[in-house]
Structures are given as structure tokens and as C-alpha cells.
Coordinates of all heavy atoms in Angstrom, one line a residue:
M16 N 160.6 178.9 56.2 CA 159.8 177.7 55.9 C 160.5 176.7 55.0 O 161.6 176.9 54.6 CB 158.4 178.2 55.3 CG 157.5 178.8 56.3 SD 157.3 177.7 57.6 CE 155.8 178.2 58.3
A17 N 159.8 175.7 54.6 CA 160.4 174.6 53.9 C 160.4 174.8 52.4 O 159.6 175.6 51.8 CB 159.6 173.3 54.2
K18 N 161.4 174.2 51.8 CA 161.5 174.2 50.3 C 160.8 172.9 49.8 O 161.4 171.8 50.1 CB 162.9 174.3 49.9 CG 163.1 174.5 48.4 CD 164.6 174.8 48.2 CE 164.8 174.9 46.7 NZ 166.3 175.0 46.3
I19 N 159.7 173.0 49.1 CA 158.9 171.8 48.7 C 158.8 171.7 47.2 O 158.5 172.7 46.5 CB 157.5 171.9 49.4 CG1 157.7 172.0 50.9 CG2 156.7 170.7 49.0 CD1 156.4 172.3 51.6
A20 N 159.0 170.5 46.7 CA 158.8 170.1 45.3 C 157.4 169.5 45.2 O 157.1 168.5 45.9 CB 159.9 169.2 44.8
V21 N 156.6 170.0 44.2 CA 155.2 169.4 44.0 C 155.1 168.9 42.6 O 155.4 169.7 41.6 CB 154.1 170.5 44.3 CG1 152.8 170.0 43.9 CG2 154.2 170.9 45.7
E22 N 154.8 167.7 42.4 CA 154.6 167.1 41.1 C 153.5 167.8 40.3 O 152.4 168.0 40.9 CB 154.4 165.6 41.2 CG 154.3 164.9 39.9 CD 154.2 163.4 40.1 OE1 154.0 162.9 41.2 OE2 154.2 162.7 39.0
E23 N 153.7 168.1 39.1 CA 152.6 168.6 38.2 C 151.6 167.5 38.1 O 151.9 166.3 38.1 CB 153.2 169.0 36.9 CG 154.1 170.2 37.0 CD 154.5 170.8 35.7 OE1 154.1 170.3 34.6 OE2 155.3 171.8 35.7
P24 N 150.3 167.8 38.0 CA 149.7 169.0 37.7 C 149.0 169.7 39.0 O 148.0 170.3 38.9 CB 148.6 168.6 36.7 CG 148.1 167.3 37.3 CD 149.4 166.7 37.9
F25 N 149.6 169.5 40.1 CA 148.9 169.9 41.4 C 149.2 171.4 41.7 O 149.7 171.7 42.8 CB 149.4 169.0 42.6 CG 149.0 167.6 42.4 CD1 149.9 166.6 42.3 CD2 147.6 167.3 42.3 CE1 149.5 165.3 42.2 CE2 147.2 165.9 42.2 CZ 148.2 164.9 42.1
D26 N 148.7 172.3 40.8 CA 148.9 173.7 41.0 C 148.1 174.2 42.3 O 148.6 175.1 43.0 CB 148.3 174.5 39.8 CG 149.2 174.3 38.6 OD1 150.4 174.2 38.7 OD2 148.6 174.2 37.5
D27 N 147.0 173.6 42.6 CA 146.2 173.9 43.8 C 147.0 173.6 45.0 O 146.9 174.3 46.0 CB 144.8 173.3 43.8 CG 144.8 171.9 43.3 OD1 145.8 171.3 43.0 OD2 143.7 171.3 43.3
M28 N 147.7 172.5 45.0 CA 148.6 172.1 46.1 C 149.7 173.1 46.3 O 150.0 173.5 47.4 CB 149.1 170.7 45.9 CG 149.9 170.2 47.1 SD 148.8 169.9 48.5 CE 150.0 169.5 49.7
K29 N 150.3 173.5 45.2 CA 151.4 174.5 45.2 C 150.8 175.8 45.9 O 151.5 176.4 46.8 CB 151.8 174.8 43.8 CG 152.9 175.9 43.7 CD 153.3 176.2 42.3 CE 154.4 177.1 42.1 NZ 154.1 178.5 42.3
T30 N 149.7 176.3 45.5 CA 149.1 177.5 46.0 C 148.8 177.3 47.5 O 149.1 178.3 48.3 CB 147.8 177.8 45.3 OG1 148.1 178.0 43.9 CG2 147.1 179.1 45.8
A31 N 148.2 176.2 47.9 CA 147.9 176.0 49.3 C 149.2 176.0 50.2 O 149.2 176.6 51.3 CB 147.2 174.7 49.5
L32 N 150.2 175.4 49.7 CA 151.5 175.4 50.5 C 152.2 176.8 50.5 O 152.7 177.2 51.5 CB 152.4 174.3 49.9 CG 152.0 172.9 50.2 CD1 152.9 171.9 49.4 CD2 152.0 172.5 51.6
E33 N 152.1 177.5 49.4 CA 152.6 178.9 49.4 C 151.9 179.8 50.4 O 152.5 180.6 51.0 CB 152.5 179.5 48.0 CG 153.6 178.9 47.0 CD 153.4 179.3 45.6 OE1 152.3 179.7 45.2 OE2 154.4 179.2 44.9
E34 N 150.6 179.5 50.5 CA 149.8 180.3 51.5 C 150.2 180.0 52.9 O 150.0 180.8 53.8 CB 148.3 180.0 51.3 CG 147.7 180.6 50.1 CD 146.3 180.2 49.8 OE1 145.7 179.4 50.5 OE2 145.7 180.7 48.8
K35 N 150.8 178.9 53.1 CA 151.4 178.5 54.5 C 152.8 179.0 54.6 O 153.4 178.8 55.7 CB 151.4 177.0 54.6 CG 150.0 176.3 54.7 CD 149.5 176.5 56.0 CE 148.2 175.7 56.2 NZ 147.7 175.7 57.5
G36 N 153.3 179.7 53.6 CA 154.6 180.3 53.7 C 155.8 179.5 53.1 O 157.0 179.9 53.3
H37 N 155.5 178.4 52.5 CA 156.6 177.5 52.0 C 157.0 178.0 50.6 O 156.2 178.6 49.8 CB 156.1 176.1 51.9 CG 155.7 175.5 53.2 ND1 156.6 175.3 54.2 CD2 154.5 175.1 53.7 CE1 156.0 174.8 55.3 NE2 154.7 174.7 55.0
E38 N 158.3 177.7 50.3 CA 158.8 177.9 48.9 C 158.5 176.7 48.1 O 159.0 175.6 48.4 CB 160.3 178.2 49.0 CG 160.9 178.4 47.6 CD 162.4 178.6 47.8 OE1 162.9 179.0 48.8 OE2 163.1 178.3 46.8
V39 N 157.7 176.8 47.0 CA 157.2 175.6 46.3 C 157.6 175.7 44.8 O 157.5 176.8 44.2 CB 155.7 175.5 46.4 CG1 155.2 174.2 45.7 CG2 155.2 175.5 47.9
T40 N 158.1 174.6 44.3 CA 158.5 174.5 42.9 C 157.8 173.3 42.3 O 157.7 172.2 42.9 CB 160.0 174.3 42.8 OG1 160.7 175.4 43.4 CG2 160.4 174.2 41.3
M41 N 157.2 173.5 41.1 CA 156.6 172.4 40.4 C 157.6 171.6 39.6 O 158.6 172.1 39.2 CB 155.5 172.9 39.4 CG 154.4 173.7 40.0 SD 153.4 172.8 41.2 CE 152.5 171.8 40.1
F42 N 157.4 170.3 39.5 CA 158.3 169.4 38.7 C 157.5 168.4 37.9 O 156.4 168.0 38.2 CB 159.4 168.8 39.6 CG 158.9 167.6 40.4 CD1 159.0 166.3 40.0 CD2 158.3 167.9 41.7 CE1 158.5 165.3 40.8 CE2 157.8 166.8 42.5 CZ 157.9 165.5 42.0
N43 N 158.2 167.9 36.8 CA 157.6 166.8 36.0 C 158.2 165.5 36.6 O 159.3 165.5 37.1 CB 158.0 166.9 34.6 CG 157.2 168.1 33.9 OD1 156.0 168.2 34.1 ND2 158.0 168.9 33.3
T44 N 157.5 164.4 36.4 CA 158.0 163.1 36.9 C 159.3 162.6 36.3 O 160.0 161.9 37.0 CB 156.9 162.0 36.6 OG1 156.3 162.2 35.4 CG2 155.9 161.9 37.7
D45 N 159.6 163.1 35.1 CA 160.8 162.6 34.5 C 162.1 163.5 34.8 O 163.1 163.2 34.4 CB 160.7 162.5 33.0 CG 160.3 163.8 32.3 OD1 159.9 164.8 33.0 OD2 160.3 163.8 31.1
E46 N 161.8 164.5 35.7 CA 162.9 165.4 36.1 C 163.7 164.8 37.2 O 163.1 164.1 38.1 CB 162.4 166.7 36.5 CG 161.9 167.6 35.4 CD 161.4 169.0 35.9 OE1 162.2 169.7 36.6 OE2 160.3 169.3 35.7
N47 N 165.0 165.1 37.3 CA 165.8 164.7 38.4 C 165.7 165.8 39.5 O 166.2 166.9 39.3 CB 167.3 164.5 38.0 CG 168.1 164.0 39.1 OD1 167.6 163.6 40.2 ND2 169.4 163.9 38.9
V48 N 165.0 165.5 40.5 CA 164.6 166.6 41.5 C 165.5 166.4 42.8 O 165.4 165.3 43.4 CB 163.1 166.5 41.9 CG1 162.8 167.6 42.8 CG2 162.3 166.6 40.6
T49 N 166.3 167.4 43.1 CA 167.1 167.3 44.4 C 167.1 168.7 45.0 O 166.7 169.7 44.5 CB 168.6 166.9 44.0 OG1 169.1 167.9 43.1 CG2 168.6 165.5 43.4
G50 N 167.5 168.7 46.3 CA 167.7 169.9 47.0 C 166.5 170.4 47.7 O 166.4 171.6 48.1
Y51 N 165.5 169.6 47.9 CA 164.2 170.0 48.6 C 164.1 169.4 50.0 O 164.7 168.4 50.2 CB 163.0 169.7 47.8 CG 163.0 170.5 46.5 CD1 163.6 170.0 45.3 CD2 162.4 171.7 46.5 CE1 163.6 170.8 44.2 CE2 162.3 172.5 45.3 CZ 162.9 172.0 44.2 OH 162.9 172.8 43.0
D52 N 163.3 170.0 50.9 CA 163.1 169.5 52.2 C 162.0 168.4 52.1 O 162.1 167.4 53.0 CB 162.6 170.6 53.1 CG 163.6 171.7 53.3 OD1 164.8 171.4 53.5 OD2 163.2 172.9 53.2
L53 N 161.1 168.5 51.2 CA 160.0 167.5 51.1 C 159.4 167.6 49.7 O 159.5 168.6 49.0 CB 158.9 167.9 52.1 CG 157.8 167.0 52.3 CD1 158.2 165.9 53.3 CD2 156.6 167.7 52.8
G54 N 158.8 166.5 49.3 CA 158.1 166.5 48.0 C 156.7 166.0 48.1 O 156.4 165.3 49.1
V55 N 155.9 166.4 47.2 CA 154.5 166.0 47.1 C 154.3 165.3 45.7 O 154.5 166.0 44.7 CB 153.5 167.1 47.3 CG1 152.0 166.6 47.2 CG2 153.7 167.8 48.7
V56 N 153.9 164.1 45.7 CA 153.8 163.3 44.5 C 152.4 162.7 44.3 O 151.7 162.6 45.3 CB 154.9 162.2 44.4 CG1 156.3 162.8 44.4 CG2 154.7 161.2 45.5
R57 N 152.1 162.3 43.1 CA 150.8 161.6 42.9 C 150.7 160.3 43.7 O 149.7 160.1 44.4 CB 150.6 161.2 41.4 CG 150.3 162.4 40.6 CD 150.2 161.9 39.2 NE 150.9 163.0 38.4 CZ 150.8 163.0 37.1 NH1 150.2 162.1 36.4 NH2 151.4 164.0 36.5
A58 N 151.7 159.5 43.5 CA 151.8 158.2 44.2 C 153.2 157.8 44.3 O 154.1 158.2 43.6 CB 151.0 157.2 43.4
I59 N 153.5 156.9 45.3 CA 154.8 156.3 45.4 C 154.8 154.9 44.7 O 154.0 154.1 45.1 CB 155.2 156.2 46.9 CG1 155.3 157.6 47.5 CG2 156.6 155.5 47.0 CD1 155.5 157.6 49.0
N60 N 155.6 154.8 43.7 CA 155.6 153.5 43.0 C 156.4 152.5 43.7 O 157.5 152.8 44.2 CB 156.2 153.7 41.6 CG 155.4 154.7 40.7 OD1 154.2 154.7 40.9 ND2 156.0 155.5 39.9
E61 N 155.9 151.3 43.8 CA 156.6 150.2 44.4 C 158.0 150.0 43.7 O 158.1 150.0 42.5 CB 155.9 148.9 44.3 CG 154.6 148.9 45.1 CD 154.8 148.8 46.6 OE1 155.8 148.1 47.0 OE2 154.0 149.3 47.3
G62 N 159.0 149.9 44.5 CA 160.4 149.7 43.9 C 161.1 150.9 43.5 O 162.2 150.9 43.1
H63 N 160.4 152.1 43.5 CA 161.1 153.3 43.2 C 161.2 154.3 44.3 O 161.2 155.5 44.2 CB 160.3 154.0 42.0 CG 160.3 153.2 40.8 ND1 161.2 152.4 40.4 CD2 159.4 153.2 39.8 CE1 160.9 151.8 39.2 NE2 159.8 152.3 38.8
N64 N 161.3 153.7 45.5 CA 161.4 154.6 46.7 C 162.7 155.4 46.8 O 162.7 156.3 47.6 CB 161.2 153.7 48.0 CG 159.8 153.1 48.0 OD1 158.9 153.5 47.4 ND2 159.7 152.0 48.7
D65 N 163.7 155.0 46.1 CA 164.9 155.7 46.1 C 165.0 156.8 45.0 O 166.0 157.4 44.8 CB 166.1 154.8 45.9 CG 166.1 154.0 44.6 OD1 165.0 154.0 43.9 OD2 167.1 153.4 44.2
E66 N 163.8 157.1 44.4 CA 163.7 158.1 43.4 C 164.1 159.5 43.9 O 164.6 160.3 43.1 CB 162.3 158.1 42.8 CG 162.2 158.4 41.4 CD 160.8 158.2 40.9 OE1 160.1 157.2 41.4 OE2 160.3 159.0 40.1
F67 N 163.8 159.8 45.1 CA 164.0 161.1 45.7 C 165.0 161.1 46.8 O 165.1 160.1 47.5 CB 162.7 161.7 46.2 CG 161.6 161.8 45.1 CD1 160.6 160.8 45.0 CD2 161.6 162.8 44.2 CE1 159.7 160.9 44.0 CE2 160.7 162.9 43.3 CZ 159.7 162.0 43.1
T68 N 165.7 162.2 47.0 CA 166.7 162.3 48.1 C 166.1 163.0 49.3 O 166.8 163.4 50.2 CB 167.9 163.1 47.6 OG1 167.5 164.4 47.2 CG2 168.6 162.4 46.5
F69 N 164.8 163.1 49.4 CA 164.1 163.8 50.4 C 162.8 163.0 50.7 O 162.3 162.3 49.8 CB 163.8 165.2 50.1 CG 163.3 165.5 48.7 CD1 161.9 165.3 48.4 CD2 164.1 165.8 47.7 CE1 161.4 165.5 47.2 CE2 163.6 166.0 46.4 CZ 162.3 165.8 46.1
P70 N 162.2 163.2 51.9 CA 160.9 162.5 52.1 C 159.8 163.0 51.2 O 159.8 164.2 50.7 CB 160.6 162.9 53.6 CG 161.7 163.6 54.1 CD 162.6 164.0 53.0
V71 N 158.8 162.2 50.9 CA 157.7 162.6 50.1 C 156.4 162.2 50.7 O 156.3 161.3 51.5 CB 157.7 161.9 48.7 CG1 159.0 162.3 47.9 CG2 157.7 160.4 48.8
V72 N 155.3 163.0 50.3 CA 154.0 162.7 50.7 C 153.2 162.4 49.4 O 153.3 163.1 48.5 CB 153.3 164.0 51.4 CG1 151.8 163.8 51.6 CG2 154.0 164.3 52.7
A73 N 152.5 161.3 49.4 CA 151.8 160.9 48.2 C 150.3 161.4 48.3 O 149.7 161.2 49.4 CB 151.8 159.3 48.1
M74 N 149.8 162.0 47.2 CA 148.5 162.6 47.2 C 147.4 161.5 47.1 O 146.2 161.9 47.2 CB 148.4 163.5 46.0 CG 149.2 164.8 46.1 SD 148.4 166.1 47.1 CE 146.9 166.4 46.3
T75 N 147.7 160.3 46.8 CA 146.8 159.2 46.5 C 145.6 159.2 47.6 O 145.9 159.1 48.8 CB 147.4 157.9 46.5 OG1 148.5 157.9 45.6 CG2 146.5 156.8 46.1
G76 N 144.4 159.5 47.1 CA 143.2 159.4 48.0 C 143.1 160.6 49.0 O 142.3 160.5 49.9
M77 N 143.9 161.6 48.8 CA 143.8 162.8 49.7 C 143.2 164.0 49.1 O 143.4 164.2 47.9 CB 145.2 163.1 50.2 CG 145.8 162.3 51.2 SD 147.2 163.1 52.0 CE 148.4 161.8 52.1
S78 N 142.5 164.8 49.8 CA 142.1 166.1 49.4 C 143.3 167.0 49.5 O 144.3 166.7 50.2 CB 140.9 166.6 50.2 OG 141.3 166.9 51.5
I79 N 143.1 168.2 49.0 CA 144.2 169.2 49.2 C 144.4 169.5 50.6 O 145.6 169.5 51.1 CB 143.9 170.5 48.4 CG1 143.8 170.3 46.9 CG2 144.9 171.6 48.7 CD1 145.1 169.7 46.3
N80 N 143.4 169.7 51.4 CA 143.5 170.0 52.8 C 144.2 168.8 53.6 O 145.1 169.1 54.4 CB 142.1 170.3 53.5 CG 141.6 171.6 53.0 OD1 142.3 172.5 52.6 ND2 140.3 171.7 53.1
D81 N 143.8 167.6 53.2 CA 144.5 166.4 53.9 C 146.0 166.4 53.5 O 146.8 166.1 54.4 CB 143.8 165.1 53.4 CG 142.4 164.9 53.9 OD1 142.0 165.6 54.9 OD2 141.7 164.1 53.3
A82 N 146.3 166.7 52.3 CA 147.7 166.7 51.8 C 148.5 167.8 52.5 O 149.6 167.5 52.9 CB 147.8 166.8 50.3
V83 N 147.9 168.9 52.7 CA 148.6 170.0 53.3 C 148.9 169.6 54.8 O 150.0 169.9 55.3 CB 147.8 171.4 53.3 CG1 148.4 172.4 54.2 CG2 147.8 171.9 51.8
E84 N 147.9 169.1 55.5 CA 148.1 168.6 56.8 C 149.1 167.5 56.9 O 150.0 167.5 57.8 CB 146.7 168.0 57.4 CG 145.7 169.1 57.7 CD 144.4 168.5 58.3 OE1 144.5 167.4 58.8 OE2 143.4 169.2 58.2
A85 N 149.2 166.6 55.9 CA 150.2 165.6 55.9 C 151.6 166.2 55.7 O 152.6 165.8 56.4 CB 149.9 164.6 54.8
V86 N 151.7 167.2 54.9 CA 153.0 167.9 54.7 C 153.4 168.6 56.0 O 154.6 168.5 56.4 CB 152.9 168.9 53.5 CG1 154.1 169.9 53.5 CG2 152.8 168.2 52.2
E87 N 152.5 169.3 56.6 CA 152.8 170.0 57.8 C 153.2 169.1 58.9 O 154.2 169.3 59.7 CB 151.6 170.9 58.3 CG 151.2 172.0 57.3 CD 152.2 173.2 57.4 OE1 152.5 173.6 58.5 OE2 152.6 173.7 56.3
S88 N 152.5 167.9 59.0 CA 152.9 166.9 60.0 C 154.3 166.3 59.8 O 155.1 166.2 60.7 CB 151.8 165.8 60.0 OG 152.2 164.8 60.8
R89 N 154.5 166.0 58.5 CA 155.9 165.4 58.2 C 157.0 166.4 58.5 O 158.0 166.1 59.0 CB 155.9 165.0 56.7 CG 157.2 164.5 56.2 CD 157.5 163.1 56.8 NE 156.6 162.1 56.4 CZ 156.8 161.3 55.3 NH1 157.9 161.5 54.6 NH2 156.0 160.4 55.0
L90 N 156.7 167.7 58.1 CA 157.7 168.7 58.4 C 158.0 168.9 59.9 O 159.1 169.1 60.3 CB 157.3 170.1 57.8 CG 157.4 170.1 56.3 CD1 156.7 171.4 55.8 CD2 158.8 170.0 55.8
S91 N 156.9 168.8 60.7 CA 157.1 169.0 62.2 C 157.9 167.8 62.7 O 158.6 167.9 63.7 CB 155.8 169.2 62.8 OG 155.0 168.0 62.8
Q92 N 157.7 166.6 62.2 CA 158.4 165.4 62.6 C 159.9 165.5 62.3 O 160.8 164.9 62.9 CB 157.9 164.2 62.0 CG 156.5 163.8 62.4 CD 155.9 162.7 61.6 OE1 156.6 162.1 60.7 NE2 154.7 162.3 61.8
M93 N 160.2 166.3 61.2 CA 161.6 166.4 60.8 C 162.4 167.4 61.6 O 163.6 167.4 61.5 CB 161.7 166.8 59.3 CG 161.1 165.7 58.4 SD 160.8 166.3 56.7 CE 162.2 167.1 56.2
Q94 N 161.8 168.2 62.3 CA 162.5 169.3 63.1 C 163.2 168.7 64.3 O 162.9 167.8 64.9 CB 161.5 170.4 63.5 CG 161.0 171.1 62.3 CD 160.0 172.2 62.6 OE1 159.6 172.3 63.8 NE2 159.7 173.0 61.7

């Protein structure tokens, strides 16, 4: 499965993705995060789109289930 970085404080997102079989690591916004297949963040800031070296899904306005579906969809598009 995928190696996914999840921005703190989304522990429930981490748990939901682990239940799908993904390897999930939590990170703080000020950390330099690299080496992941996908990231889950609170929001994507305008002008900071180059912050990550991998695709991200923004949690803005999404439930945990919606975000998990968005992650699964993005991962299937990448294959």
C-alpha cells in the first residue's frame, strides 16, 4: 500500500488510512516532509504549492470518510 504523510492533529485520519492498509506517519507543518506517495493536509496555502514533493489532499470542508475516498481516488489515479 501507499506511504502517506498526515498533518497533525488528524489522528482519526491516520487511523482510517491505516485500516485501509496504508503506512501512515504524522507530521507538523514546520517539518520538511519528503519520501511519501501522498500527503493529507489541513489546507493548501496559495503560493506554497511547491511545499511538498508529492501530491496532497486538503481536508478543508471534508469529513474523514470524504478525505479517505479522496486519498483512495488520488492513489488510483497515480497507478
Side-chain angles (χ1 to χ4, degrees):
M16 285 303 200
K18 188 174 177 185
I19 302 173
V21 175
E22 184 177 5
E23 292 186 3
F25 296 118
D26 293 322
D27 44 357
M28 184 67 190
K29 177 182 187 283
T30 301
L32 290 170
E33 286 174 337
E34 288 173 358
K35 294 280 189 176
H37 300 294
E38 179 184 335
V39 184
T40 303
M41 301 296 289
F42 74 95
N43 291 310
T44 34
D45 58 350
E46 290 182 56
N47 184 10
V48 184
T49 59
Y51 292 90
D52 300 314
L53 190 84
V55 179
V56 297
R57 286 178 220 190
I59 298 173
N60 299 325
E61 294 287 329
H63 296 332
N64 296 338
D65 60 347
E66 210 171 326
F67 301 100
T68 59
F69 46 82
V71 295
V72 171
M74 292 277 301
T75 306
M77 284 195 221
S78 69
I79 294 300
N80 289 338
D81 291 342
V83 168
E84 286 180 25
V86 166
E87 296 283 313
S88 174
R89 179 67 67 92
L90 288 171
S91 70
Q92 293 171 4
M93 293 167 49
Q94 294 178 351

